[in-house]
Amino acid sequence: MAALCLLSPQLHAQENEPDPLEPANRAIFSFNEVIDGLLIKPAALIYRGVVPELVRTGIGNVLENARTPVVLANDVFQGEWGRANTTFGRFMLNTIAGFGGVLDVATWAGMPEGHFEDFGQTLAVYGVGGGPYIVLPLFGPSNVRDTAGRVVDIFLDPISLFAPSDVSIGRTAAEGVDFREQNIETIEELKRTSLDFYAATRTLARQLRESEIRNGMPAAYEDIYDESIYDIEPLDDPSEALEDPEEELR
């Protein structure tokens, strides 16, 4: 979300986006904003003010490293063997030489940066549609496919399966505070520049998700323009387009 919140012309909220559950979604969105204002943002501000940046970076590295088994499993499910090899190599190097992931030794060694995969993305790769847009309490934007994917990811995550529930809950809370601290300014800027914060968040969440599913690759032309470029009817006579230059300018 942070990568897309720097608003460009194509990222303005699209009011015509399908959102059949919008009344319920807006209610949950408002609830999340209240919780953010009362708990999460203050915790993020305290975290930033008390914990030195170097330590916060190490904590973020540990949290990212702890998610690697889920990423690796979904790399394999998608048949992304090169990305799976990178994920496994980064995990081993950072866990062993980076003191459990505190230090990002893999990046220092010149390995490709880490990436994020979950079972919702895996389902999308195999053609499963997202379904209606959903705002989850505390977790925020999602859809039916990705919500189901969250449940599967629990069973791919050793910490969720084998660690005490307090550890799993604590990690989730730490991830939330860490994310919020990294994006304090970005979220405030999005709120300031959005006519409708809910609609802007919905648009950005959908575009981010599509980018994640494509592994950052550009969208196909037909996805951008909602039609195949091969279906455009050519002009019988190209000079027809210039019969009335003033009309063309209008």
Side-chain angles (χ1 to χ4, degrees):
M1 188 71 82
L4 288 173
C5 280
L6 300 176
L7 297 178
S8 58
Q10 68 270 28
L11 293 182
H12 290 307
Q14 300 171 13
E15 295 296 342
N16 60 343
E17 289 180 309
D19 188 359
L21 304 176
E22 183 169 352
N25 283 337
R26 283 187 179 274
I28 297 172
F29 186 82
S30 297
F31 167 79
N32 287 346
E33 281 200 275
V34 171
I35 297 299
D36 179 69
L38 292 176
L39 296 176
I40 303 176
K41 183 180 177 181
L45 290 170
I46 294 171
Y47 177 56
R48 175 180 288 187
V50 172
V51 181
E53 183 178 0
L54 185 63
V55 177
R56 296 200 306 270
T57 299
I59 292 173
N61 289 342
V62 170
L63 293 172
E64 180 180 349
N65 198 59
R67 282 288 179 188
T68 302
V70 174
V71 176
L72 178 60
N74 283 288
D75 281 338
V76 172
F77 293 157
Q78 295 172 30
E80 295 280 358
W81 306 114
R83 287 163 67 88
N85 182 62
T86 297
T87 299
F88 181 74
R90 287 183 59 86
F91 178 71
M92 294 301 296
L93 188 56
N94 286 341
T95 300
I96 296 171
F99 304 101
V102 174
L103 302 177
D104 188 1
V105 180
T107 298
W108 298 348
M111 293 187 67
E113 291 186 2
H115 60 276
F116 177 78
E117 295 289 340
D118 57 40
F119 198 73
Q121 291 169 252
T122 298
L123 291 174
V125 167
Y126 286 99
V128 178
Y133 177 72
I134 298 174
V135 179
L136 300 175
L138 300 181
F139 290 98
S142 187
N143 56 44
V144 173
R145 178 197 63 215
D146 294 342
T147 301
R150 280 181 177 271
V151 177
V152 175
D153 286 333
I154 292 173
F155 296 95
L156 300 176
D157 183 2
I159 293 179
S160 296
L161 286 179
F162 303 115
S165 59
D166 291 348
V167 173
S168 182
I169 293 171
R171 182 188 65 173
T172 300
E175 288 174 339
V177 173
D178 180 68
F179 172 84
R180 190 64 175 89
E181 185 278 325
Q182 293 182 44
N183 294 281
I184 290 173
E185 292 79 13
T186 304
I187 294 173
E188 291 305 310
E189 179 66 11
L190 179 60
K191 287 183 178 180
R192 187 184 67 82
T193 57
S194 300
L195 295 176
D196 184 342
F197 184 40
Y198 168 82
T201 302
R202 179 184 61 198
T203 297
L204 292 168
R206 282 172 162 165
Q207 293 187 7
L208 172 63
R209 196 58 175 161
E210 289 301 316
S211 177
E212 288 176 339
I213 291 167
R214 298 191 305 269
N215 294 333
M217 297 297 290
Y221 282 114
E222 51 265 34
D223 292 337
I224 297 173
Y225 297 106
D226 199 27
E227 62 180 343
S228 172
I229 59 175
Y230 302 107
D231 294 337
I232 299 175
E233 291 291 338
L235 292 172
D236 294 331
D237 181 0
S239 63
E240 292 176 0
L242 300 177
E243 285 181 356
D244 187 350
E246 292 185 2
E247 181 63 28
E248 288 295 318
L249 287 175
R250 286 196 294 270

